[in-house]
Amino acid sequence: MKMNHLLRLSSLLVLSVLLLIPTACDKDEKNDVDIFHDNISDLSLMAVDFIDKAIIFETTVFDENISAEEIKKIFDDYIASGEAFVNSLNIVINNTKQGGDTEALLKDAAMECVNVVTGLFDISGISPASVKALGDLIGETKDASAALEQAYNSGQIQPDEYNKLRNQLRNQKLLKLSKMGGSGLMGTLAAGSVAAAKISAAGTVGVGAIMTAPALITIGAVGAGTAYVSYRLFSWYSGTNKNTGEQHTIFTAFEWELDTPFPAFLFGKDAQVAISIDGYAPVLIDRIRHPEEGHNMFVEIDPVRSSDLKSSNYLKSAVSTQVCYRQELIQPGSQCEQVMFVTAYPSPANPAAGQSVTVIAHVLPAVEGCEVHFSIVGTDGYSNDATHTTNASGRATFGIPGADPGVFDRVTITASNGATQVVSYTFGGSSKEGESQGIIRR
């Protein structure tokens, strides 16, 4: 039996060596633009995975119904995905080449076109300090988790203490993350038209602080056909909290299909957006436009094939391509089956201890009289659910009582056609006078 394992290992080693031997084809296949395209794609997917794992980490209730093994896996998944995201983000930050200023070409009442940078570009605007702080916090969580697991395995911690200590560790790190400007996860959106795709977003100010009127954005490409239909997107927006002076960064990431709409609120005001389409050079949209109230936005890109950009010449000067924005009036839906998305955000986005929260949901397109189901589970064990119908604007709301400092709530919002979004938030360290519930839920 040992000989079989040894032979298997030897085969793997030989295979690994063969894979590492460079070939002429390997050298010719990838230029700098191709590599950067892959880096942007990887970053988008890593961001989606980290946000998904972080939502589970934040909102799972650690009680007698969950095993020590399950809790450990939740911690391990969060730490591993966080490390991968930070590493991928640093790779992109450290390997960019030029600025991303846009140049206006055309602007009238119906359409606006601009030149944008393509190929290699600088993803400026992400605070290196914020990235380092997130990486350090993930590292702290990893070290503390390992120490706790070692104590548990050696018998220093009894099984009945394990869940309690894990919960304390999680709340301590998440509260620190919230204060430094890196939490407030918005969750995922499910669209019936692209069932396998995921949209994820994260930010400390919450959707409510940056949300435009409910609308859709659609990204397309000139000459799009069967050759390419999907793309990966990574967006970022950094700003300063007016109350605390702390800097926050909002990330949005998803893998989606061209000519398929998504909710406009996913982008912060003046967000920068990096898009990679297979076979084409990455594109940087600097300060993406938001649709005006009552309008949907169509964004059309004229992509450049990465094979057309020669690295030796490309690095000498910036290469640009054209992006056009076109707006159309929103046409309200008439039937609930027409709903593509349900979007939601908590108000306030960062509640104080004991402060009540209202979750505000919209169905897109707006349809009146559609049922929206709300379900809340808090890390303090509180749960509740209710179903409300949308008004003429496609809006429905759900009230939630305040909670103790450090408690995380996970609210799942589901439209009648199955479209779902999850929002989460954490209660701060102290209640504000006049805003407290008075009696914190139990």
Side-chain angles (χ1 to χ4, degrees), residues 145-174:
S145 177
L148 185 58
E149 195 65 23
Q150 183 178 6
Y152 175 69
N153 292 333
S154 65
Q156 298 177 46
I157 298 175
Q158 299 304 310
D160 58 347
E161 298 179 284
Y162 183 79
N163 288 14
K164 180 180 179 181
L165 291 173
R166 278 286 190 184
N167 196 51
Q168 289 177 352
L169 172 59
R170 174 184 60 177
N171 289 348
Q172 177 190 9
K173 298 305 179 185
L174 289 177

Side-chain angles (χ1 to χ4, degrees), residues 22-43:
T23 66
C25 291
D26 290 332
K27 292 179 181 178
D28 295 335
E29 284 177 357
K30 297 272 186 181
N31 58 25
D32 289 345
V33 175
D34 292 325
I35 293 170
F36 189 61
H37 168 278
D38 292 346
N39 290 341
I40 293 292
S41 294
D42 289 345
L43 176 58

